[in-house]
Amino acid sequence: MRSILSLFIILNNNGVEASHKVYQKFQSLSAVKVDQLHRTGFHFQPPKNWINDPNGPLYYKGLYHLFYQYNPKGAVWGNIVWAHSVSKDLINWEPLDPAIYPSKPFDINGCWSGSATILPGNKPIILYTGIDPDNRQVQNYAIPANLSDPYLREWIKPDDNPIVVPTNDMNASAFRDPTTAWFTDGHWQMVVGGRRKRRGIAHLYRSKDFKYWVKAKHPLHTSQNTGMWECPDFYPVSMSSKIGLDTSVNGQNVKHVLKVSLDLTRYEYYTIGTYNLDLDRYIPDSGLKDGWTGLRYDYGNFYASKTFYDPLKHRRILWGWANESDAQLDDVKKGWAGIQTIPRKVWLDPSGKQLVQWPVEELESLRGNKVEKSNVKLKKGDHVEVEGITAAQADVEVTFSFQSLDKAEEFDPSWSNAKDLCGQKGSNVQGGVGPFGLLTLASQNLEEFTPVFFRIFKAPTKHVVLLCSDATSSSLGEKLYKPSFAGFVDVKLDNKKLSLRSLIDHSVVESFGEGGKTCITSRVYPTLAVLDNAHLHLFNNGSETITVENLSAWSMNRPLMN
Ligand SMILES: *[C@@H]1O[C@H](CO)[C@@H](O)[C@H](O)[C@H]1NC(C)=O
Ligand SMILES: *[C@@H]1O[C@H](CO)[C@@H](O)[C@H](O)[C@H]1NC(C)=O
Ligand SMILES: *[C@@H]1O[C@H](CO)[C@@H](O)[C@H](O)[C@H]1NC(C)=O
Ligand SMILES: *[C@@H]1O[C@H](CO)[C@@H](O)[C@H](O)[C@H]1NC(C)=O
Ligand SMILES: *[C@H]1O[C@@H](CO)[C@H](O)[C@@H](O)[C@@H]1NC(C)=O
């Protein structure tokens, strides 16, 4: 009893900084037994313990490498090292020993997030944040000990580290997460996240030899009132194709993306803009907003993401961390916390106004038993079960259509926050056109379910499409975070169709609306809708009849997972 009481005291005393909560008592409490009930089947995770940010993803000599922040000793944040896994296909993963761990003065108090760059001659190099003896955040580099080893098992941290330290005018506790470097104007350039008071900053550095770095006169970009910018990511996208570009590419047919993870909200935001070499600045396109009124990769549990260029298949791939939505005490009990979302290909939408994301094609190799449906009519209040697949571990693609938008509900212009709107108008609030979609992880009698659904509103000059992934009824369990995650979908509706894909994996539902224009990841912990007792339904709760044009759903197999 006493230990439980003191646990709550610790948990309620998180301090100001959200990012690195320290639960001293639990961070080295090794898992006695790993609870398998809610573990994912095909998402990236180690056999046990805490994970957070994906780090330094890269492709080298036939292998994809993923490093990630990992606590080797427990299921809450602490003792962080760069764990390391490799894969031939981004789906089956083989674990290796940690690549980077505290061992030298410049990282003795921590080896935090960073990125990889491939130098000419196919030489990978990692930049990461080390915590030094004064608890300053400094930037270090590490290089492979043996370039002949495609596994890159051993990394050396040379003694001329750190290579970048906070200057006196900077807050040394808010200076971290170096990006992949890009080469321009005869120099390597990279960005480190930071802040000054409430202004978020992408500090810009430049080097000829990757060792001696000079701070540029002004940052690459900053924005007032956004707080600390963690895990910045800066990369080019093609304006005319889905092909990914190496991070150093710039020019006529190229836009740039700047993504930051806001410590204040614990969500990520990006803008699309121009990297102006004359001004040495990144300038977001007009109309695009920095900060929490801006665009997001994912409107759910998705943070500290990082992209890399895959030279094998000429694509840019996005990794993101999905944290748990249960309590820390649950994590300690279950012996694990955190997953990486399925790697996604990312490219610029032809409109130029947003990015589009789609699970890497390799995921389809896990598809097993398939069921199909077509031309299913759903009247208001209907739900139809999709039988014949393992509904707790599945991949579902569906296209819905409707005859008319006349019944769409009026859109109140004050509804600027999709999440609040989804909270007000859940799947049980009947509407005009929608809510319609999937009921994932549903129990037999619908005591539990996580609906992923569209709802269409009529605004004065256009229609507004909302995509919700609502955890409100996801579990009978208590002390869980059950948010009504949602995002708007920028789509014309000329063909009166909407498509949805959901990757359902025991405690995660990762959804891609309209071909990946709006993505939402929810972490949920059903008590009844588990394993073979989970069900999948189609539903409609709007007065306009909805047609399921076609649906394909697959049971998903398990890959080799660490
Ligand atoms: C480097 O890696 C290659 C390939 O794995 C291996 O054959 C060689 O023995 C390694 N060299 C050293 C010095 O460990
Ligand atoms: C420096 O940053 C840390 C972490 O964000 C914060 O707790 C502290 O108040 C900051 N110090 C100043 C002087 O702004
Ligand atoms: C549809 O709406 C009715 C009435 O509110 C509700 O009882 C039912 O649970 C809703 N269906 C879903 C899937 O939420
Ligand atoms: C459903 O049909 C659309 C064309 O209307 C097609 O683009 C899509 O691939 C089909 N989806 C499935 C899951 O079969
Ligand atoms: C994930 O967990 C939920 C519930 O505890 C918090 O509300 C989020 O802030 C947290 N997200 C991140 C990125 O840490």
mmCIF file with all atom_site columns, all heavy atoms in Angstrom, residues 375-395:
data_model
loop_
_atom_site.group_PDB
_atom_site.id
_atom_site.type_symbol
_atom_site.label_atom_id
_atom_site.label_alt_id
_atom_site.label_comp_id
_atom_site.label_asym_id
_atom_site.label_entity_id
_atom_site.label_seq_id
_atom_site.pdbx_PDB_ins_code
_atom_site.Cartn_x
_atom_site.Cartn_y
_atom_site.Cartn_z
_atom_site.occupancy
_atom_site.B_iso_or_equiv
_atom_site.pdbx_formal_charge
_atom_site.auth_seq_id
_atom_site.auth_comp_id
_atom_site.auth_asym_id
_atom_site.auth_atom_id
_atom_site.pdbx_PDB_model_num
ATOM 1   N N   . ASN A 1 375 ? -20.194 -3.168  -52.384 1.00 0.00 ? 375 ASN A N   1
ATOM 2   C CA  . ASN A 1 375 ? -21.565 -2.704  -52.523 1.00 0.00 ? 375 ASN A CA  1
ATOM 3   C C   . ASN A 1 375 ? -22.438 -3.049  -51.317 1.00 0.00 ? 375 ASN A C   1
ATOM 4   O O   . ASN A 1 375 ? -23.536 -3.572  -51.456 1.00 0.00 ? 375 ASN A O   1
ATOM 5   C CB  . ASN A 1 375 ? -22.152 -3.301  -53.820 1.00 0.00 ? 375 ASN A CB  1
ATOM 6   C CG  . ASN A 1 375 ? -23.364 -2.515  -54.261 1.00 0.00 ? 375 ASN A CG  1
ATOM 7   O OD1 . ASN A 1 375 ? -23.511 -1.343  -53.905 1.00 0.00 ? 375 ASN A OD1 1
ATOM 8   N ND2 . ASN A 1 375 ? -24.245 -3.156  -54.996 1.00 0.00 ? 375 ASN A ND2 1
ATOM 9   N N   . VAL A 1 376 ? -21.958 -2.732  -50.125 1.00 0.00 ? 376 VAL A N   1
ATOM 10  C CA  . VAL A 1 376 ? -22.739 -2.933  -48.900 1.00 0.00 ? 376 VAL A CA  1
ATOM 11  C C   . VAL A 1 376 ? -23.384 -1.600  -48.530 1.00 0.00 ? 376 VAL A C   1
ATOM 12  O O   . VAL A 1 376 ? -22.694 -0.588  -48.401 1.00 0.00 ? 376 VAL A O   1
ATOM 13  C CB  . VAL A 1 376 ? -21.833 -3.391  -47.738 1.00 0.00 ? 376 VAL A CB  1
ATOM 14  C CG1 . VAL A 1 376 ? -22.647 -3.633  -46.484 1.00 0.00 ? 376 VAL A CG1 1
ATOM 15  C CG2 . VAL A 1 376 ? -21.040 -4.620  -48.132 1.00 0.00 ? 376 VAL A CG2 1
ATOM 16  N N   . LYS A 1 377 ? -24.711 -1.605  -48.404 1.00 0.00 ? 377 LYS A N   1
ATOM 17  C CA  . LYS A 1 377 ? -25.411 -0.368  -48.035 1.00 0.00 ? 377 LYS A CA  1
ATOM 18  C C   . LYS A 1 377 ? -25.517 -0.271  -46.513 1.00 0.00 ? 377 LYS A C   1
ATOM 19  O O   . LYS A 1 377 ? -25.880 -1.254  -45.855 1.00 0.00 ? 377 LYS A O   1
ATOM 20  C CB  . LYS A 1 377 ? -26.832 -0.366  -48.611 1.00 0.00 ? 377 LYS A CB  1
ATOM 21  C CG  . LYS A 1 377 ? -26.888 -0.544  -50.101 1.00 0.00 ? 377 LYS A CG  1
ATOM 22  C CD  . LYS A 1 377 ? -26.792 0.791   -50.818 1.00 0.00 ? 377 LYS A CD  1
ATOM 23  C CE  . LYS A 1 377 ? -26.950 0.586   -52.310 1.00 0.00 ? 377 LYS A CE  1
ATOM 24  N NZ  . LYS A 1 377 ? -25.895 1.221   -53.106 1.00 0.00 ? 377 LYS A NZ  1
ATOM 25  N N   . LEU A 1 378 ? -25.203 0.897   -45.994 1.00 0.00 ? 378 LEU A N   1
ATOM 26  C CA  . LEU A 1 378 ? -25.312 1.107   -44.554 1.00 0.00 ? 378 LEU A CA  1
ATOM 27  C C   . LEU A 1 378 ? -26.279 2.250   -44.288 1.00 0.00 ? 378 LEU A C   1
ATOM 28  O O   . LEU A 1 378 ? -25.987 3.402   -44.602 1.00 0.00 ? 378 LEU A O   1
ATOM 29  C CB  . LEU A 1 378 ? -23.941 1.451   -43.964 1.00 0.00 ? 378 LEU A CB  1
ATOM 30  C CG  . LEU A 1 378 ? -22.820 0.417   -44.068 1.00 0.00 ? 378 LEU A CG  1
ATOM 31  C CD1 . LEU A 1 378 ? -21.491 1.040   -43.657 1.00 0.00 ? 378 LEU A CD1 1
ATOM 32  C CD2 . LEU A 1 378 ? -23.127 -0.810  -43.204 1.00 0.00 ? 378 LEU A CD2 1
ATOM 33  N N   . LYS A 1 379 ? -27.443 1.893   -43.724 1.00 0.00 ? 379 LYS A N   1
ATOM 34  C CA  . LYS A 1 379 ? -28.407 2.936   -43.347 1.00 0.00 ? 379 LYS A CA  1
ATOM 35  C C   . LYS A 1 379 ? -28.075 3.434   -41.954 1.00 0.00 ? 379 LYS A C   1
ATOM 36  O O   . LYS A 1 379 ? -27.281 2.828   -41.233 1.00 0.00 ? 379 LYS A O   1
ATOM 37  C CB  . LYS A 1 379 ? -29.818 2.351   -43.355 1.00 0.00 ? 379 LYS A CB  1
ATOM 38  C CG  . LYS A 1 379 ? -30.296 1.915   -44.715 1.00 0.00 ? 379 LYS A CG  1
ATOM 39  C CD  . LYS A 1 379 ? -31.812 2.106   -44.804 1.00 0.00 ? 379 LYS A CD  1
ATOM 40  C CE  . LYS A 1 379 ? -32.413 1.314   -45.953 1.00 0.00 ? 379 LYS A CE  1
ATOM 41  N NZ  . LYS A 1 379 ? -32.268 -0.154  -45.768 1.00 0.00 ? 379 LYS A NZ  1
ATOM 42  N N   . LYS A 1 380 ? -28.728 4.514   -41.578 1.00 0.00 ? 380 LYS A N   1
ATOM 43  C CA  . LYS A 1 380 ? -28.473 5.072   -40.249 1.00 0.00 ? 380 LYS A CA  1
ATOM 44  C C   . LYS A 1 380 ? -28.668 4.017   -39.169 1.00 0.00 ? 380 LYS A C   1
ATOM 45  O O   . LYS A 1 380 ? -29.699 3.355   -39.130 1.00 0.00 ? 380 LYS A O   1
ATOM 46  C CB  . LYS A 1 380 ? -29.442 6.244   -40.009 1.00 0.00 ? 380 LYS A CB  1
ATOM 47  C CG  . LYS A 1 380 ? -29.268 6.885   -38.643 1.00 0.00 ? 380 LYS A CG  1
ATOM 48  C CD  . LYS A 1 380 ? -29.765 8.289   -38.638 1.00 0.00 ? 380 LYS A CD  1
ATOM 49  C CE  . LYS A 1 380 ? -30.986 8.446   -37.742 1.00 0.00 ? 380 LYS A CE  1
ATOM 50  N NZ  . LYS A 1 380 ? -31.446 9.846   -37.756 1.00 0.00 ? 380 LYS A NZ  1
ATOM 51  N N   . GLY A 1 381 ? -27.646 3.859   -38.310 1.00 0.00 ? 381 GLY A N   1
ATOM 52  C CA  . GLY A 1 381 ? -27.730 2.903   -37.203 1.00 0.00 ? 381 GLY A CA  1
ATOM 53  C C   . GLY A 1 381 ? -27.215 1.514   -37.546 1.00 0.00 ? 381 GLY A C   1
ATOM 54  O O   . GLY A 1 381 ? -27.089 0.668   -36.668 1.00 0.00 ? 381 GLY A O   1
ATOM 55  N N   . ASP A 1 382 ? -26.911 1.281   -38.835 1.00 0.00 ? 382 ASP A N   1
ATOM 56  C CA  . ASP A 1 382 ? -26.439 -0.059  -39.221 1.00 0.00 ? 382 ASP A CA  1
ATOM 57  C C   . ASP A 1 382 ? -24.994 -0.298  -38.795 1.00 0.00 ? 382 ASP A C   1
ATOM 58  O O   . ASP A 1 382 ? -24.165 0.617   -38.830 1.00 0.00 ? 382 ASP A O   1
ATOM 59  C CB  . ASP A 1 382 ? -26.458 -0.218  -40.753 1.00 0.00 ? 382 ASP A CB  1
ATOM 60  C CG  . ASP A 1 382 ? -27.865 -0.427  -41.282 1.00 0.00 ? 382 ASP A CG  1
ATOM 61  O OD1 . ASP A 1 382 ? -28.799 -0.578  -40.448 1.00 0.00 ? 382 ASP A OD1 1
ATOM 62  O OD2 . ASP A 1 382 ? -28.038 -0.434  -42.515 1.00 0.00 ? 382 ASP A OD2 1
ATOM 63  N N   . HIS A 1 383 ? -24.711 -1.532  -38.430 1.00 0.00 ? 383 HIS A N   1
ATOM 64  C CA  . HIS A 1 383 ? -23.314 -1.958  -38.444 1.00 0.00 ? 383 HIS A CA  1
ATOM 65  C C   . HIS A 1 383 ? -23.228 -3.396  -38.917 1.00 0.00 ? 383 HIS A C   1
ATOM 66  O O   . HIS A 1 383 ? -24.071 -4.222  -38.620 1.00 0.00 ? 383 HIS A O   1
ATOM 67  C CB  . HIS A 1 383 ? -22.583 -1.717  -37.123 1.00 0.00 ? 383 HIS A CB  1
ATOM 68  C CG  . HIS A 1 383 ? -23.284 -2.214  -35.919 1.00 0.00 ? 383 HIS A CG  1
ATOM 69  N ND1 . HIS A 1 383 ? -23.113 -3.462  -35.424 1.00 0.00 ? 383 HIS A ND1 1
ATOM 70  C CD2 . HIS A 1 383 ? -24.177 -1.595  -35.106 1.00 0.00 ? 383 HIS A CD2 1
ATOM 71  C CE1 . HIS A 1 383 ? -23.852 -3.610  -34.346 1.00 0.00 ? 383 HIS A CE1 1
ATOM 72  N NE2 . HIS A 1 383 ? -24.515 -2.503  -34.136 1.00 0.00 ? 383 HIS A NE2 1
ATOM 73  N N   . VAL A 1 384 ? -22.194 -3.643  -39.707 1.00 0.00 ? 384 VAL A N   1
ATOM 74  C CA  . VAL A 1 384 ? -22.025 -4.939  -40.364 1.00 0.00 ? 384 VAL A CA  1
ATOM 75  C C   . VAL A 1 384 ? -20.662 -5.476  -39.975 1.00 0.00 ? 384 VAL A C   1
ATOM 76  O O   . VAL A 1 384 ? -19.661 -4.773  -40.115 1.00 0.00 ? 384 VAL A O   1
ATOM 77  C CB  . VAL A 1 384 ? -22.071 -4.743  -41.905 1.00 0.00 ? 384 VAL A CB  1
ATOM 78  C CG1 . VAL A 1 384 ? -21.683 -6.026  -42.629 1.00 0.00 ? 384 VAL A CG1 1
ATOM 79  C CG2 . VAL A 1 384 ? -23.447 -4.264  -42.338 1.00 0.00 ? 384 VAL A CG2 1
ATOM 80  N N   . GLU A 1 385 ? -20.640 -6.697  -39.485 1.00 0.00 ? 385 GLU A N   1
ATOM 81  C CA  . GLU A 1 385 ? -19.341 -7.256  -39.075 1.00 0.00 ? 385 GLU A CA  1
ATOM 82  C C   . GLU A 1 385 ? -18.546 -7.754  -40.286 1.00 0.00 ? 385 GLU A C   1
ATOM 83  O O   . GLU A 1 385 ? -19.105 -8.316  -41.226 1.00 0.00 ? 385 GLU A O   1
ATOM 84  C CB  . GLU A 1 385 ? -19.541 -8.395  -38.070 1.00 0.00 ? 385 GLU A CB  1
ATOM 85  C CG  . GLU A 1 385 ? -18.186 -8.940  -37.618 1.00 0.00 ? 385 GLU A CG  1
ATOM 86  C CD  . GLU A 1 385 ? -18.196 -9.756  -36.340 1.00 0.00 ? 385 GLU A CD  1
ATOM 87  O OE1 . GLU A 1 385 ? -19.268 -9.983  -35.764 1.00 0.00 ? 385 GLU A OE1 1
ATOM 88  O OE2 . GLU A 1 385 ? -17.084 -10.163 -35.934 1.00 0.00 ? 385 GLU A OE2 1
ATOM 89  N N   . VAL A 1 386 ? -17.237 -7.518  -40.227 1.00 0.00 ? 386 VAL A N   1
ATOM 90  C CA  . VAL A 1 386 ? -16.319 -8.067  -41.225 1.00 0.00 ? 386 VAL A CA  1
ATOM 91  C C   . VAL A 1 386 ? -15.713 -9.315  -40.579 1.00 0.00 ? 386 VAL A C   1
ATOM 92  O O   . VAL A 1 386 ? -14.867 -9.213  -39.688 1.00 0.00 ? 386 VAL A O   1
ATOM 93  C CB  . VAL A 1 386 ? -15.208 -7.055  -41.586 1.00 0.00 ? 386 VAL A CB  1
ATOM 94  C CG1 . VAL A 1 386 ? -14.244 -7.659  -42.593 1.00 0.00 ? 386 VAL A CG1 1
ATOM 95  C CG2 . VAL A 1 386 ? -15.821 -5.762  -42.099 1.00 0.00 ? 386 VAL A CG2 1
ATOM 96  N N   . GLU A 1 387 ? -16.191 -10.481 -41.011 1.00 0.00 ? 387 GLU A N   1
ATOM 97  C CA  . GLU A 1 387 ? -15.744 -11.724 -40.372 1.00 0.00 ? 387 GLU A CA  1
ATOM 98  C C   . GLU A 1 387 ? -14.685 -12.413 -41.205 1.00 0.00 ? 387 GLU A C   1
ATOM 99  O O   . GLU A 1 387 ? -14.587 -12.176 -42.403 1.00 0.00 ? 387 GLU A O   1
ATOM 100 C CB  . GLU A 1 387 ? -16.934 -12.655 -40.173 1.00 0.00 ? 387 GLU A CB  1
ATOM 101 C CG  . GLU A 1 387 ? -17.859 -12.169 -39.061 1.00 0.00 ? 387 GLU A CG  1
ATOM 102 C CD  . GLU A 1 387 ? -19.125 -13.007 -38.953 1.00 0.00 ? 387 GLU A CD  1
ATOM 103 O OE1 . GLU A 1 387 ? -20.028 -12.836 -39.800 1.00 0.00 ? 387 GLU A OE1 1
ATOM 104 O OE2 . GLU A 1 387 ? -19.192 -13.832 -38.018 1.00 0.00 ? 387 GLU A OE2 1
ATOM 105 N N   . GLY A 1 388 ? -13.922 -13.267 -40.564 1.00 0.00 ? 388 GLY A N   1
ATOM 106 C CA  . GLY A 1 388 ? -13.000 -14.111 -41.303 1.00 0.00 ? 388 GLY A CA  1
ATOM 107 C C   . GLY A 1 388 ? -11.545 -13.671 -41.239 1.00 0.00 ? 388 GLY A C   1
ATOM 108 O O   . GLY A 1 388 ? -10.693 -14.228 -41.922 1.00 0.00 ? 388 GLY A O   1
ATOM 109 N N   . ILE A 1 389 ? -11.267 -12.632 -40.438 1.00 0.00 ? 389 ILE A N   1
ATOM 110 C CA  . ILE A 1 389 ? -9.869  -12.237 -40.243 1.00 0.00 ? 389 ILE A CA  1
ATOM 111 C C   . ILE A 1 389 ? -9.580  -12.125 -38.751 1.00 0.00 ? 389 ILE A C   1
ATOM 112 O O   . ILE A 1 389 ? -10.509 -12.080 -37.943 1.00 0.00 ? 389 ILE A O   1
ATOM 113 C CB  . ILE A 1 389 ? -9.548  -10.867 -40.904 1.00 0.00 ? 389 ILE A CB  1
ATOM 114 C CG1 . ILE A 1 389 ? -10.531 -9.798  -40.421 1.00 0.00 ? 389 ILE A CG1 1
ATOM 115 C CG2 . ILE A 1 389 ? -9.547  -10.982 -42.414 1.00 0.00 ? 389 ILE A CG2 1
ATOM 116 C CD1 . ILE A 1 389 ? -10.019 -8.408  -40.558 1.00 0.00 ? 389 ILE A CD1 1
ATOM 117 N N   . THR A 1 390 ? -8.306  -12.062 -38.397 1.00 0.00 ? 390 THR A N   1
ATOM 118 C CA  . THR A 1 390 ? -7.932  -11.820 -37.003 1.00 0.00 ? 390 THR A CA  1
ATOM 119 C C   . THR A 1 390 ? -8.065  -10.316 -36.760 1.00 0.00 ? 390 THR A C   1
ATOM 120 O O   . THR A 1 390 ? -7.165  -9.542  -37.077 1.00 0.00 ? 390 THR A O   1
ATOM 121 C CB  . THR A 1 390 ? -6.480  -12.260 -36.737 1.00 0.00 ? 390 THR A CB  1
ATOM 122 O OG1 . THR A 1 390 ? -5.633  -11.593 -37.696 1.00 0.00 ? 390 THR A OG1 1
ATOM 123 C CG2 . THR A 1 390 ? -6.312  -13.751 -36.888 1.00 0.00 ? 390 THR A CG2 1
ATOM 124 N N   . ALA A 1 391 ? -9.196  -9.927  -36.202 1.00 0.00 ? 391 ALA A N   1
ATOM 125 C CA  . ALA A 1 391 ? -9.516  -8.501  -36.116 1.00 0.00 ? 391 ALA A CA  1
ATOM 126 C C   . ALA A 1 391 ? -8.605  -7.726  -35.165 1.00 0.00 ? 391 ALA A C   1
ATOM 127 O O   . ALA A 1 391 ? -8.557  -6.497  -35.216 1.00 0.00 ? 391 ALA A O   1
ATOM 128 C CB  . ALA A 1 391 ? -10.976 -8.321  -35.709 1.00 0.00 ? 391 ALA A CB  1
ATOM 129 N N   . ALA A 1 392 ? -7.855  -8.449  -34.310 1.00 0.00 ? 392 ALA A N   1
ATOM 130 C CA  . ALA A 1 392 ? -6.936  -7.747  -33.407 1.00 0.00 ? 392 ALA A CA  1
ATOM 131 C C   . ALA A 1 392 ? -5.593  -7.477  -34.072 1.00 0.00 ? 392 ALA A C   1
ATOM 132 O O   . ALA A 1 392 ? -4.774  -6.730  -33.541 1.00 0.00 ? 392 ALA A O   1
ATOM 133 C CB  . ALA A 1 392 ? -6.718  -8.560  -32.131 1.00 0.00 ? 392 ALA A CB  1
ATOM 134 N N   . GLN A 1 393 ? -5.383  -8.079  -35.249 1.00 0.00 ? 393 GLN A N   1
ATOM 135 C CA  . GLN A 1 393 ? -4.094  -7.924  -35.935 1.00 0.00 ? 393 GLN A CA  1
ATOM 136 C C   . GLN A 1 393 ? -4.380  -7.933  -37.438 1.00 0.00 ? 393 GLN A C   1
ATOM 137 O O   . GLN A 1 393 ? -4.301  -8.980  -38.087 1.00 0.00 ? 393 GLN A O   1
ATOM 138 C CB  . GLN A 1 393 ? -3.177  -9.082  -35.522 1.00 0.00 ? 393 GLN A CB  1
ATOM 139 C CG  . GLN A 1 393 ? -1.718  -8.863  -35.854 1.00 0.00 ? 393 GLN A CG  1
ATOM 140 C CD  . GLN A 1 393 ? -0.830  -9.943  -35.252 1.00 0.00 ? 393 GLN A CD  1
ATOM 141 O OE1 . GLN A 1 393 ? -0.843  -10.182 -34.045 1.00 0.00 ? 393 GLN A OE1 1
ATOM 142 N NE2 . GLN A 1 393 ? -0.059  -10.613 -36.091 1.00 0.00 ? 393 GLN A NE2 1
ATOM 143 N N   . ALA A 1 394 ? -4.729  -6.757  -37.957 1.00 0.00 ? 394 ALA A N   1
ATOM 144 C CA  . ALA A 1 394 ? -5.289  -6.711  -39.311 1.00 0.00 ? 394 ALA A CA  1
ATOM 145 C C   . ALA A 1 394 ? -4.898  -5.445  -40.061 1.00 0.00 ? 394 ALA A C   1
ATOM 146 O O   . ALA A 1 394 ? -4.448  -4.455  -39.473 1.00 0.00 ? 394 ALA A O   1
ATOM 147 C CB  . ALA A 1 394 ? -6.817  -6.791  -39.220 1.00 0.00 ? 394 ALA A CB  1
ATOM 148 N N   . ASP A 1 395 ? -5.066  -5.528  -41.357 1.00 0.00 ? 395 ASP A N   1
ATOM 149 C CA  . ASP A 1 395 ? -4.886  -4.380  -42.255 1.00 0.00 ? 395 ASP A CA  1
ATOM 150 C C   . ASP A 1 395 ? -6.194  -4.266  -43.041 1.00 0.00 ? 395 ASP A C   1
ATOM 151 O O   . ASP A 1 395 ? -6.639  -5.255  -43.633 1.00 0.00 ? 395 ASP A O   1
ATOM 152 C CB  . ASP A 1 395 ? -3.687  -4.684  -43.185 1.00 0.00 ? 395 ASP A CB  1
ATOM 153 C CG  . ASP A 1 395 ? -3.348  -3.540  -44.138 1.00 0.00 ? 395 ASP A CG  1
ATOM 154 O OD1 . ASP A 1 395 ? -4.084  -2.532  -44.160 1.00 0.00 ? 395 ASP A OD1 1
ATOM 155 O OD2 . ASP A 1 395 ? -2.340  -3.667  -44.877 1.00 0.00 ? 395 ASP A OD2 1
#
